[in-house]
Amino acid sequence: MSTDAPQNDMPEMPELTIGSDAVEATDAAPAVARVAPTIRGKVDRFGVCWGTGRRKTAVARVRVKDGSGQITVNGRPMTQYFPLITDQHAVLAVLKATSMLEKVEVIIQVEGGGSTGQSGACKLGIARALQAKNPELHPILTEGSYLTRDDRKVERKKYGHKKARRSFQFSKR
């Protein structure tokens, strides 16, 4: 037995340092590699970018090319086709966020659904076409959630109910 070692049966406890391991781990952690974004739009041989947008039952086929900022929906100006201001803002939101409002010409063919569904489909189609035109716009488009499809649809009517969830009035007597 050595005389300089303590005669203690207790195991030696490590020194308590709260949070010191976490700081060291973040400094030594490697950078996370980002996955390349999926581009759903297409660019044809003439330099025209195509994007398809869907919302509820509406489908919009969007063509984006360099131009003066004119927006045409089914052969009519956008303000004439979408008389509601909210629908106009939905279509213009993507172009304003990317500051491409006066730089590109947008031609849209949309069918199905109502005005709100059609404007939402146009918004997604424009975002996909702009991403195909310039992939560097991807962070701006994802931050505003313009590339996310809104998959909500009308719920079906159920048997024994008046509507999708509304039941007939219950009479106790």
Side-chain angles (χ1 to χ4, degrees):
M1 275 190 130
S2 70
T3 56
D4 53 344
Q7 297 280 339
N8 197 350
D9 291 340
M10 297 278 292
E12 197 172 308
M13 296 292 287
E15 185 178 326
L16 182 63
T17 53
I18 298 174
S20 63
D21 294 338
V23 173
E24 293 172 12
T26 57
D27 291 341
V32 178
R34 298 253 177 199
V35 179
T38 303
I39 297 177
R40 291 192 167 87
K42 295 179 181 170
V43 182
D44 66 6
R45 60 190 171 124
F46 302 109
V48 178
C49 303
W50 291 79
T52 303
R54 292 181 184 85
R55 168 88 167 91
K56 294 186 176 181
T57 58
V59 179
R61 290 171 200 84
V62 179
R63 290 185 291 171
V64 174
K65 58 184 179 180
D66 294 327
S68 60
Q70 187 178 23
I71 301 172
T72 309
V73 183
N74 289 353
R76 293 191 281 175
M78 189 237 351
T79 54
Q80 186 182 359
Y81 191 83
F82 292 120
L84 295 176
I85 301 296
T86 55
D87 294 338
Q88 292 176 16
H89 285 304
V91 174
L92 293 174
V94 181
L95 297 170
K96 286 181 181 176
T98 57
S99 66
M100 299 287 278
L101 190 58
E102 301 293 326
K103 298 176 184 173
V104 293
E105 185 176 334
V106 181
I107 301 158
I108 303 169
Q109 289 293 319
V110 64
E111 59 187 23
S115 61
T116 305
Q118 287 186 350
S119 64
C122 292
K123 178 173 75 169
L124 180 62
I126 291 170
R128 286 181 174 176
L130 285 176
Q131 185 189 24
K133 182 176 179 61
N134 187 1
E136 294 171 1
L137 295 174
H138 181 78
I140 298 169
L141 294 170
T142 52
E143 183 179 323
S145 69
Y146 297 119
L147 293 172
T148 306
R149 188 204 190 290
D150 190 357
D151 62 345
R152 296 177 293 170
K153 294 196 176 190
V154 177
E155 192 173 343
R156 68 172 287 269
K157 182 194 175 299
K158 276 77 169 190
Y159 171 76
H161 290 267
K162 216 172 189 179
K163 296 178 9 182
R165 295 182 183 220
R166 169 86 167 101
S167 290
F168 295 103
Q169 185 171 355
F170 175 73
S171 175
K172 195 168 188 179
R173 288 179 189 86

